[in-house]
Each structure stands twice: as structure tokens, then as C-alpha cells.
């Protein structure tokens, strides 16, 4: 997934780090220690999420994803696309090229749109992590609303592009 | 016992993976392969994010942040949160630590929600990429609709949180 967008992030981090280092060495070291501590704090959750994602990806072959998004345009197909988008973590950098290919081969626009929306805004398997930062109530509400609103975005997109 | 409860999710998932290795070795091995590959990707993505929030923690003092995105920041705070969100093109899991830091520094919860929601659905650095694959019409419609949805979600959640919920969120942010 090494793409230019992560490099852009690295660029920002390096620039900020250099400025900080020139301004105050000891403060910069404290910052780095804090970064590490905050990271280690959430590491167990991250590892759990990664193993869960690994299981999901191993259990759902990529063909299934392609078939779900590619075939029937019925409501159940759209619902299934939304479920897939909510449950998986695929970088959009990888998702857009796949989505565009599927569209060209006749996939429904609503499925594709709902898949992209849920993929980016609903994080079913990252929920334990989100709860750690935002608490249960906010996390449940945010994911539920994002899921519901993904359908609105998708239907409007489908209607505008019909 | 406390450690067991604290890491319940991790223990359950690891057991599931272990069971897969024994009963469905093919799926199990594939799962471990995916996990290792994704671990490298996640680390690569998270390293700069955590460096930035560590620097934020040290250099940005509470008063500044409260002024920018805190209780009385009003429309300016909303605008700053939205702008900060749309230029941050990272996946949801990498956004959360940033949100935690914003809360720790005293940003208003509704502003942090605007930040998360806008960053998840509108990513300016990725717009051209989306246009080149999905076409400008698809991208434009999604962009405009998402503009409204971001604020709708943030407002609905904020209206449904009472004082107690909000205090819990802030207490939690201090402990991160």
C-alpha cells in the first residue's frame, strides 16, 4: 500500500519533527516518547483488529467481493455490498480501481457507491478501537448513522448518474 | 483476571485464528499471511500519525486549542475542524488517535465529530484520484451529498449526548 499519500504524511511528519528538533531538543524527545507510549497503549487493540481482518479476508475470497458488487442490483445485493464495505478495511487507493473496473463490467452504481461510502465511514471491526477513543454511545451512533446515510449518498449518486 | 477482561477482544480473536489453523489450516495460514502483510501496512500508515500527535501534545497548549476548537469557538471552530478534516487523508483507524488528542486538548465534541466525519467521507488529497477512476460526476455528487451528511451526523450525535456522556469522553481522553 506504499502510495504517494502516505509519503505526503511522512513529509509532514518529518518537517514538523525537524522544526521541533531545531526549536527544542528535549521537548522533541518527550514528544517522541509520548508518541510511542500512546501507540503501545492501543497496540493490543490494533493487533486484535488485524487478526480479525486477516480472518475475514481469508474467509471471504476476493471473488466473493467482486461477485457481490458486480451482480444483481436488487436491494439485498445493495445491502450485502454495504455489509461488505462496513466489515472490511481496504485502502481506497485499492478500492477505487476495483470499483471502476466493476462499473465498466456492468456493476450497479448504487452498490459501488454504497460500498465506497461504508468502506470509508463505517468501521465495524475497528469499533473496539473507536470505543476506546470516543466511548460506546458515540461509537455506536456514529457507525449506525454513517451506515444509514451511506444508502442516501448511494441512491442520490445512482439517481444523478442514471 | 483484569488483564483477561481488558484484552478479551484480543484473546477471542487469537483463539479464533488458532482454531482456524487447526481445523481449517488453509484458511488459517492465509489469515496469518494477511495479518502480517496488513501489520506492515498499518505500521507504515500509523508511524507518521503518532509522531504528529506526540508533537501536538507537547507543542500545542490547551488554551490555544480551546480557543480554536473549544467550547466558545462557534462557527470558527466548526470551519477549522472541517478544514482540518478534509485535508487529512488517512483511514478511519488512523484518524481516531488524532481525534483523541483533539479531545485531550479541550476541543468541543461536536467539532471533533465534524473532524472525523469530514475526514472519513471527504478527502481532498484523494479527490483527483477518485475523479480519475470514478469520473467527475460520481465524485462531485458524492462530495456535495457528503457535505450535508457530515454535519447531519455530527449534529445528531451531539444532540443525543448528555453532560454525563460528554464528561466520560473527556475523562477517557486524558487517560490515553
Amino acid at each position: 500500500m506504499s502510495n504517494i499519500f502516505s509519503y505526503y504524511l511522512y513529509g509532514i511528519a518529518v518537517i514538523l519533527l525537524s522544526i521541533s528538533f531545531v526549536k527544542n531538543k528535549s521537548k522533541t524527545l518527550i514528544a517522541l516518547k509520548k508518541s510511542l507510549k500512546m501507540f503501545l497503549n492501543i497496540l493490543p487493540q490494533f493487533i486484535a483488529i488485524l487478526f480479525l481482518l486477516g480472518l475475514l479476508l481469508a474467509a471471504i475470497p476476493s471473488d466473493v467481493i467482486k461477485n457481490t458488487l458486480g451482480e444483481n442490483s436488487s436491494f439485498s445485493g445493495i445491502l450485502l455490498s454495504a455489509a461488505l464495505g462496513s466489515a472490511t478495511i481496504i485502502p481506497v487507493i485499492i478500492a477505487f480501481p476495483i470499483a471502476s473496473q466493476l462499473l465498466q463490467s456492468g456493476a450497479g452504481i448504487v452498490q459501488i457507491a454504497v460500498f465506497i461510502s461504508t468502506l470509508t465511514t463505517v468501521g465495524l471491526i475497528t469499533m473496539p478501537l473507536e470505543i476506546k477513543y470516543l466511548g460506546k454511545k458515540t461509537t455506536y451512533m456514529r457507525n449506525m448513522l454513517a451506515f444509514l446515510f451511506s444508502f442516501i449518498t448511494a441512491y442520490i449518486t445512482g439517481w444523478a448518474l442514471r | 483476571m483484569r488483564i483477561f477482561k481488558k484484552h478479551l477482544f484480543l484473546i477471542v480473536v487469537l483463539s479464533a485464528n488458532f482454531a482456524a489453523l487447526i481445523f481449517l489450516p488453509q484458511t488459517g495460514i492465509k489469515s496469518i499471511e494477511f495479518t502480517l502483510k496488513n501489520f506492515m501496512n498499518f505500521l507504515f500508515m500509523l508511524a507518521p500519525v503518532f509522531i504528529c500527535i506526540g508533537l501536538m501534545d507537547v507543542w500545542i497548549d490547551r488554551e490555544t486549542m480551546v480557543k480554536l476548537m473549544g467550547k466558545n469557538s462557534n462557527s470558527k471552530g466548526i470551519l477549522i475542524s472541517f478544514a482540518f478534516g478534509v485535508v487529512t487523508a488517512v483511514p478511519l483507524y488512523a484518524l481516531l488517535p488524532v481525534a483523541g488528542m483533539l479531545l485531550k486538548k479541550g476541543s468541543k465534541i461536536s467539532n471533533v465529530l465534524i473532524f472525523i466525519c469530514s475526514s472519513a467521507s471527504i478527502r481532498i488529497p484523494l479527490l483527483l484520484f477518485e475523479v480519475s477512476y470514478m469520473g467527475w460526476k460520481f465524485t462531485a455528487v458524492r462530495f456535495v451529498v457528503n457535505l450535508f451528511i457530515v454535519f447531519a451526523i455530527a449534529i445528531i450525535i451531539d444532540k443525543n449526548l448528555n453532560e454525563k456522556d460528554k464528561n466520560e469522553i473527556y475523562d477517557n481522553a486524558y487517560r490515553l
Side-chain angles (χ1 to χ4, degrees):
Chain A
M1 202 196 59
S2 46
N3 56 69
I4 49 164
F5 300 104
S6 325
Y7 293 129
Y8 141 97
L9 214 59
Y10 270 88
I12 293 172
V14 168
I15 291 168
L16 291 177
L17 204 59
S18 324
I19 295 171
S20 170
F21 195 74
V22 170
K23 271 191 152 178
N24 191 331
K25 266 184 209 169
S26 60
K27 234 175 162 177
T28 309
L29 278 177
I30 294 171
L32 286 177
K33 267 186 206 157
K34 282 193 171 187
S35 305
L36 191 67
K37 217 187 112 203
M38 287 187 280
F39 176 67
L40 292 178
N41 203 0
I42 55 122
L43 192 61
Q45 245 95 357
F46 259 113
I47 292 177
I49 288 167
L50 285 169
F51 272 102
L52 185 59
L53 180 65
L55 265 181
L56 267 176
L57 290 177
I60 314 171
S62 57
D63 288 357
V64 172
I65 297 184
K66 282 185 187 158
N67 291 339
T68 307
L69 298 177
E71 270 168 27
N72 55 42
S73 240
S74 62
F75 183 70
S76 62
I78 292 165
L79 205 61
L80 215 56
S81 306
L84 268 179
S86 308
T88 47
I89 305 177
I90 305 169
V92 280
I93 306 278
I94 295 170
F96 280 137
I98 298 173
S100 125
Q101 239 175 28
L102 288 170
L103 271 183
Q104 275 158 20
S105 55
I109 195 114
V110 181
Q111 268 112 307
I112 299 288
V114 88
F115 177 70
I116 289 174
S117 283
T118 48
L119 189 68
T120 47
T121 59
V122 185
L124 210 57
I125 70 169
T126 49
M127 256 162 121
L129 187 77
E130 191 168 340
I131 288 172
K132 212 163 173 205
Y133 285 104
L134 300 176
K136 274 194 183 134
K137 198 169 168 185
T138 312
T139 303
Y140 293 151
M141 274 199 285
R142 199 200 63 75
N143 280 285
M144 224 160 63
L145 289 169
F147 185 81
L148 293 176
F149 276 115
S150 289
F151 286 87
I152 296 180
T153 324
Y155 277 111
I156 294 178
T157 313
W159 171 79
L161 268 78
R162 103 211 99 119
Chain B
M1 200 59 208
R2 255 189 77 200
I3 287 189
F4 181 78
K5 212 183 157 197
K6 200 176 157 201
H7 297 301
L8 184 66
F9 179 47
L10 181 60
I11 292 164
V12 170
V13 173
L14 282 180
S15 318
N17 250 283
F18 198 65
L21 268 177
I22 294 170
F23 299 111
L24 299 159
Q26 252 183 329
T27 312
I29 291 167
K30 230 168 132 191
S31 164
I32 303 284
E33 273 172 19
F34 279 129
T35 305
L36 288 176
K37 207 182 112 214
N38 282 325
F39 188 65
M40 299 319 284
N41 283 341
F42 269 55
L43 274 188
F44 187 74
M45 191 78 204
L46 285 171
V49 171
F50 272 91
I51 288 175
C52 289
I53 63 172
L55 289 171
M56 258 172 92
D57 200 3
V58 174
W59 286 106
I60 300 179
D61 50 58
R62 237 188 109 81
E63 288 77 58
T64 317
M65 192 55 107
V66 169
K67 225 185 267 166
L68 290 174
M69 288 169 69
K71 248 191 177 127
N72 301 313
S73 59
N74 302 330
S75 55
K76 189 188 72 193
I78 293 172
L79 211 67
I80 291 173
S81 312
F82 180 75
F84 186 34
V86 294
V87 298
T88 314
V90 300
L92 193 61
Y93 62 83
L95 276 178
L96 293 167
V98 183
M101 182 53 61
L102 291 175
L103 286 167
K104 189 183 168 189
K105 293 283 174 187
S107 304
K108 221 167 132 181
I109 290 175
S110 61
N111 283 342
V112 174
L113 287 169
I114 289 173
F115 164 75
I116 295 181
C117 296
S118 63
S119 184
S121 45
I122 306 166
R123 295 167 180 161
I124 298 221
L126 284 168
L127 279 183
L128 272 179
F129 185 78
E130 187 174 342
V131 171
S132 64
Y133 276 103
M134 312 302 293
W136 65 268
K137 216 170 164 186
F138 183 93
T139 311
V141 174
R142 258 170 43 82
F143 180 87
V144 174
V145 178
N146 279 330
L147 273 181
F148 292 100
I149 291 179
V150 164
F151 290 100
I153 293 181
I155 291 167
I156 294 173
I157 297 177
D158 191 59
K159 286 268 178 287
N160 279 294
L161 293 173
N162 53 38
E163 276 311 303
K164 201 179 133 243
D165 298 327
K166 290 188 178 179
N167 287 334
E168 259 170 44
I169 293 175
Y170 282 120
D171 286 344
N172 195 32
Y174 276 114
R175 271 182 269 121
L176 288 166

